[in-house]
Amino acid sequence: MLPTENRLRRREDFAAAVRRGRRAGRPLLVVHLRSRTDPHVPGGDLPPVRAGFVVSKAVGNAVVRNRVKRRLRHLMRDRLAPLPAGSLVVVRALPGAGEADHDELVRDLDAALRRLLGGTTP
């Protein structure tokens, strides 16, 4: 499960990540990343990385959608550390994600994050 401080909940945050962030698409999912690394922020701590998930009805029925969300939350929990502090991440599942197994989701999520981070491994 994703810790509470790492959950993306507000509609405005989802919109900011999707509209103003960078995007990396894979066959099973699309990852949007908006980095908030502003060198002019005065002192203080940057907020933690926050992640949200979009799983539409095209992925499957409610049981399938919730299973995909649970898998993605579990995978993102272990991949938050290499992301810049204050970043917003939105993972959008595509229709094939409902039938995909765990290893396929891992492969696509890692590839998308690697592309967004410039080749570094998450």
Side-chain angles (χ1 to χ4, degrees):
M1 183 63 78
L2 214 59
T4 303
E5 65 271 6
N6 295 117
R7 294 183 193 165
L8 195 60
R9 292 195 172 125
R10 294 182 22 209
R11 178 183 178 135
E12 297 82 23
D13 293 336
F14 275 89
V18 172
R19 291 187 183 137
R20 293 190 292 268
R22 295 182 9 215
R23 177 181 72 212
R26 302 297 304 157
L28 299 177
L29 47 87
V30 177
V31 178
H32 301 268
L33 173 67
R34 178 157 190 240
S35 298
R36 289 194 186 183
T37 53
D38 185 3
H40 303 293
V41 173
D45 294 326
L46 286 173
V49 177
R50 292 183 294 152
F53 306 92
V54 178
V55 184
S56 74
K57 288 186 178 182
V59 173
N61 64 21
V63 173
V64 173
R65 292 193 309 268
N66 285 323
R67 182 175 58 231
V68 170
K69 280 188 272 191
R70 280 193 311 271
R71 286 179 175 176
L72 291 173
R73 274 196 305 263
H74 176 73
L75 294 173
M76 275 306 296
R77 180 185 62 190
D78 299 332
R79 289 159 176 80
L80 293 176
L83 298 173
S87 295
L88 302 177
V89 180
V90 173
V91 180
R92 184 167 43 104
L94 298 177
E99 297 91 38
D101 63 9
H102 180 78
D103 294 333
E104 291 172 321
L105 287 174
V106 168
R107 183 193 67 229
D108 278 7
L109 182 60
D110 285 345
L113 289 173
R114 199 170 21 254
R115 181 172 174 211
L116 289 171
L117 295 173
T120 60
T121 57

